[in-house]
Amino acid sequence: MKIALSRRTTLKQRQARRRINWRAQITAFLFLLPALLALTTFTWYPMVKAVGYSFQKVKLAGGSTWVGLDNYRRMLGNPLFYTAWSNVLEFTILSIVLGFVIPIIVALMINELRRMGGIFGLIAYLPTLIPVTIALLVWRQLYAPEGGFINSLLAQVGIPAQLWLQNPLLVKPAMIVIMTWAGIGGTILIYLAALKEIPQELYEAAQLDGFSVWQRIQYIVLPLLASRIAMLLILQIIFVSQVFAEPQLLTQGGPANHTITPVLEIYRTAFDRGDYGLASAWSVSLLLVLAVFSITYVRLSFRKDEASS
Amino acid sequence: MSLSSSVMSKVESRSRRGRVIRGIITVGLILLSIVMLFPFVFTFTAGLKTSAEIYKPGLNILPATAHWENYQQVWTRLNMLRMFINSFMVTLGGVFFQLLFSSLAAFSLSRLKPVGHTIIMTLLLVTLAIPGIAYIIPLYTTLVRLPVLNISLLNSYWGLWLPYSANAFNILILKNFFDQIPRDIYDAAAVDGASPLRTFFTITLPLSRSILLILGVLSFIALWKDYLLPLLVLRDADLQPVTVRLFTLVRDFPRNLQMAAAFIAMLPPLLAAVSLQRFIKGGLTMGGTKG
């Protein structure tokens, strides 16, 4: 069936190729024009330009000069490059340890409550809606060394006040807690939707075969969620690798560069120091790292999409 | 969307053991909700405190006396109305152009089949795979001096609306949706001699209301939250949306007023979420994560 269908389309395409109706083509492209124009100007052209910039000494007023690999040499010669990347690696690992499993468990819990569970999904989603700058104002106050709520809470169980955002050991977990709070709601809703698609009959059949609740989760739910789990893991890596607003607004990359990240360094190099060429070399390095993950993600998601429609 | 299904069967969840499990789950979820909601409650009550009270250690979440005038004060002193209007300008314009350009393009790709539409689709997929941050610098220099026209879009809402309007994700989702509209409906329109533009406005768009609403709500949330691009494009403080303006502006204000301002800034997205939750849920399960 599927083969027959695709054959028919290729035949149609071949016919279309043979005689092009120019008037219809002009109409088709007029419909495409606004989007193509916008994409070309604000996405595709800048993408190409980004690579070009990384080999140039960029002057905004015009008269940029080619400098070969100079920007890359300067980037790789800067110890900050390795600091930023190892910070991002730590951020990513921490975010997976602290925040990756929680949404799966929460979604399973909400799903067991059937209709009543909906309200919990909404509550978990609310932080996702808050712009990061506003959320950071609040978290800065929660983490405040004096009179901050978290230190006050710890004082109740006898733990001394901590400098959450000034202590190199604590600052990354502290930021990951913020990002987890802000991010898990969406993930929970995605898992919930996936759980709803698992037919009840599967569980009932397993139950008849004597599968316990845990075994049903282990042998039915987790395998069926596996591809979704993989996709959301990739998405989380892509997302956390671009961490920017938290270090920029809370710590300015400190203490002692412990929260400097590639995106923060790109921002500073370009917009504080005006070194667009060097910043573009950083961008290209970021792109190379992220591309591996994002290409996998797009392939996974749109393959699934075709299979289901 | 299919009916809900849960791991425990109805009989099991009504048994004694099932009820205990459900009880534990409910308690667990309530605890989680308290953690998730706490920052909101904290912001609200901290905004009612005096500037001395907020530095006092201890778990006193409620203020000794509620200083409602804090809220009134930040509203007028920070001119928050201006920030909100700016946020709405940025967001509504962005959503409008994004939906308009995307649905026109998707209609063409789905119905009019321009030469090379498979190449365009592939290009769109590649675009999706490249994170925006990778080309933020050339995007900025492009906005500083637009090619051919040689004008600057800095300090203009067009500098946000136009980049926002180029959205590969929306085009692909809408194209998939348009593909599923039955052929017969279009054939009937063709018999009536309707032009593509008329077909688009009188058939495709009305039939796609639900998906357009979902995409609109999702774009609204995303654009309302956007920080980096507005920060770069809108240097003039009077034009800046809440996300960009508030954090720098409150720097010189005492912490209690900062919290009051933060709480006011949280309200519009919260109200939108509660009233539009249906569409948010529909949207999140769509596209890349649809299965």
Side-chain angles (χ1 to χ4, degrees):
Chain A
M1 179 64 200
K2 211 167 184 188
I3 297 165
L5 250 171
S6 64
R7 248 189 221 147
R8 213 195 304 158
T9 46
T10 48
L11 194 72
K12 221 184 279 166
Q13 278 170 351
R14 248 176 260 150
Q15 280 172 344
R17 231 168 270 159
R18 220 169 290 149
R19 47 185 172 80
I20 295 167
N21 179 343
W22 287 108
R23 259 195 69 182
Q25 281 303 315
I26 289 171
T27 320
F29 276 98
L30 281 177
F31 272 78
L32 267 176
L33 192 66
L36 283 189
L37 216 57
L39 278 166
T40 310
T41 319
F42 302 109
T43 309
W44 296 332
Y45 172 59
M47 278 177 190
V48 176
K49 217 157 98 174
V51 180
Y53 271 6
S54 72
F55 298 103
Q56 288 175 335
K57 187 175 172 57
V58 180
K59 292 205 184 85
L60 279 194
S64 301
T65 47
W66 293 92
V67 292
L69 290 171
D70 191 46
N71 290 323
Y72 288 95
R73 221 170 282 135
R74 282 198 294 149
M75 174 180 79
L76 295 172
N78 186 348
L80 219 52
F81 180 74
Y82 306 96
T83 316
W85 276 106
S86 81
N87 282 341
V88 142
L89 187 66
E90 272 180 69
F91 270 124
T92 311
I93 293 170
L94 268 171
S95 87
I96 291 168
V97 171
L98 291 179
F100 185 65
V101 183
I102 298 174
I104 304 176
I105 297 173
V106 174
L108 268 169
M109 287 166 74
I110 292 176
N111 195 47
E112 282 315 295
L113 295 185
R114 298 207 166 84
R115 263 199 211 128
M116 280 162 44
I119 181 75
F120 294 113
L122 176 68
I123 289 173
Y125 189 70
L126 292 182
T128 305
L129 300 160
I130 305 304
V132 62
T133 50
I134 313 294
L136 291 181
L137 275 177
V138 175
W139 279 94
R140 189 170 65 182
Q141 187 58 28
L142 288 170
Y143 279 133
E146 277 173 69
F149 182 80
I150 292 174
N151 276 341
S152 302
L153 197 66
L154 291 178
Q156 302 292 310
V157 288
I159 299 173
Q162 303 292 326
L163 295 166
W164 294 99
L165 301 176
Q166 292 79 28
N167 182 336
L169 285 175
L170 294 174
V171 65
K172 284 193 192 94
M175 284 182 181
I176 289 297
V177 167
I178 303 176
M179 292 169 78
T180 307
W181 172 79
I184 58 171
T187 320
I188 290 173
L189 292 190
I190 290 168
Y191 281 127
L192 260 180
L195 285 172
K196 286 209 168 82
E197 281 165 12
I198 300 176
Q200 184 80 49
E201 294 80 40
L202 274 181
Y203 299 126
E204 281 163 10
Q207 196 195 346
L208 285 178
D209 287 342
F211 280 62
S212 72
V213 173
W214 290 120
Q215 282 171 323
R216 271 171 254 165
I217 291 174
Q218 195 183 338
Y219 295 112
I220 299 175
V221 176
L222 293 182
L224 284 175
L225 285 190
S227 68
R228 200 77 51 109
I229 292 174
M231 279 170 56
L232 286 172
L233 180 67
I234 297 173
L235 209 57
Q236 187 170 338
I237 293 172
I238 295 173
F239 183 74
V240 178
S241 312
Q242 300 180 45
V243 52
F244 163 68
E246 286 83 0
Q248 191 217 7
L249 297 175
L250 287 182
T251 60
Q252 291 77 48
N257 290 336
H258 271 88
T259 55
I260 198 109
T261 64
V263 176
L264 180 58
E265 194 49 29
I266 290 171
Y267 178 84
R268 287 182 172 178
T269 309
F271 302 113
D272 291 348
R273 298 197 278 274
D275 197 341
Y276 297 96
L278 179 59
S280 294
W282 278 78
S283 299
V284 171
S285 81
L286 184 71
L287 177 66
L288 289 178
V289 174
L290 289 184
V292 181
F293 295 106
S294 56
I295 289 169
T296 320
Y297 177 78
V298 169
R299 278 186 56 187
L300 273 175
S301 59
F302 276 83
R303 195 172 59 202
K304 272 176 76 78
D305 221 33
E306 270 160 31
S308 72
S309 58
Chain B
M1 194 128 304
S2 62
L3 290 165
S4 74
S5 74
S6 44
V7 181
M8 288 195 292
S9 68
K10 275 216 172 92
V11 182
E12 270 179 310
S13 67
R14 283 193 196 133
S15 72
R16 239 187 79 197
R17 189 160 160 266
R19 265 190 245 155
V20 172
I21 294 179
R22 282 162 57 95
I24 294 170
I25 287 176
T26 312
V27 172
L29 288 177
I30 289 173
L31 287 177
L32 179 84
S33 302
I34 292 173
V35 174
M36 296 304 280
L37 292 180
F38 181 75
F40 296 101
V41 179
F42 173 84
T43 314
F44 174 63
T45 58
L48 293 171
K49 291 179 178 177
T50 63
S51 55
E53 212 177 350
I54 202 164
Y55 287 102
K56 220 165 68 185
L59 292 181
N60 37 354
I61 293 166
L62 293 177
T65 43
H67 294 271
W68 295 99
E69 68 274 15
N70 289 352
Y71 280 90
Q72 202 200 336
Q73 229 187 70
V74 288
W75 178 260
T76 47
R77 275 175 68 189
L78 297 177
N79 197 1
M80 289 191 77
L81 184 65
R82 179 79 250 163
M83 289 183 222
F84 278 132
I85 292 174
N86 293 345
S87 277
F88 274 108
M89 288 289 286
V90 168
T91 313
L92 291 178
V95 172
F96 172 76
F97 285 112
Q98 208 172 81
L99 289 185
L100 180 69
F101 288 11
S102 303
S103 54
L104 280 169
F107 180 76
S108 172
L109 290 172
S110 169
R111 297 291 317 162
L112 308 174
K113 300 285 179 205
V115 175
H117 66 270
T118 43
I119 298 170
I120 296 171
M121 294 286 290
T122 316
L123 260 175
L124 292 176
L125 272 174
V126 172
T127 309
L128 267 193
I130 297 177
I133 193 71
Y135 53 90
I136 188 81
I137 296 163
L139 173 59
Y140 174 75
T141 59
T142 303
L143 290 169
V144 170
R145 207 179 57 170
L146 213 59
V148 186
L149 297 175
N150 280 331
I151 50 170
S152 165
L153 291 182
L154 292 197
N155 287 325
S156 146
Y157 289 132
W158 290 104
L160 293 172
W161 291 340
L162 292 178
Y164 286 155
S165 75
N167 189 302
F169 177 79
N170 283 354
I171 298 177
L172 289 168
I173 294 290
L174 283 169
K175 192 247 171 204
N176 268 359
F177 189 88
F178 292 168
D179 280 348
Q180 281 156 27
I181 296 176
R183 245 196 118 75
D184 306 354
I185 298 178
Y186 287 115
D187 289 345
V191 169
D192 290 347
S195 67
L197 202 61
R198 227 182 111 195
T199 317
F200 174 73
F201 279 113
T202 57
I203 297 175
T204 313
L205 284 192
L207 283 175
S208 313
R209 257 180 318 202
S210 60
I211 188 98
L212 288 170
L213 253 172
I214 289 174
L215 289 179
V217 170
L218 286 189
S219 306
F220 188 92
I221 293 170
L223 299 188
W224 183 279
K225 281 176 67 176
D226 197 23
Y227 169 60
L228 187 50
L229 197 58
L231 175 71
L232 294 176
V233 172
L234 301 174
R235 292 300 188 169
D236 180 353
D238 287 338
L239 296 172
Q240 288 172 346
V242 178
T243 43
V244 177
R245 185 81 183 115
L246 195 63
F247 200 92
T248 39
L249 193 59
V250 296
R251 205 177 284 153
D252 308 321
F253 283 71
R255 289 290 166 95
N256 59 333
L257 295 186
Q258 288 190 7
M259 292 301 106
F263 189 75
I264 296 175
M266 284 172 170
L267 285 177
L270 286 187
L271 293 178
V274 175
S275 49
L276 298 170
Q277 49 170 309
R278 207 155 52 93
F279 302 110
I280 295 172
K281 269 186 206 169
L284 280 172
T285 57
M286 183 181 62
T289 50
K290 185 183 148 198

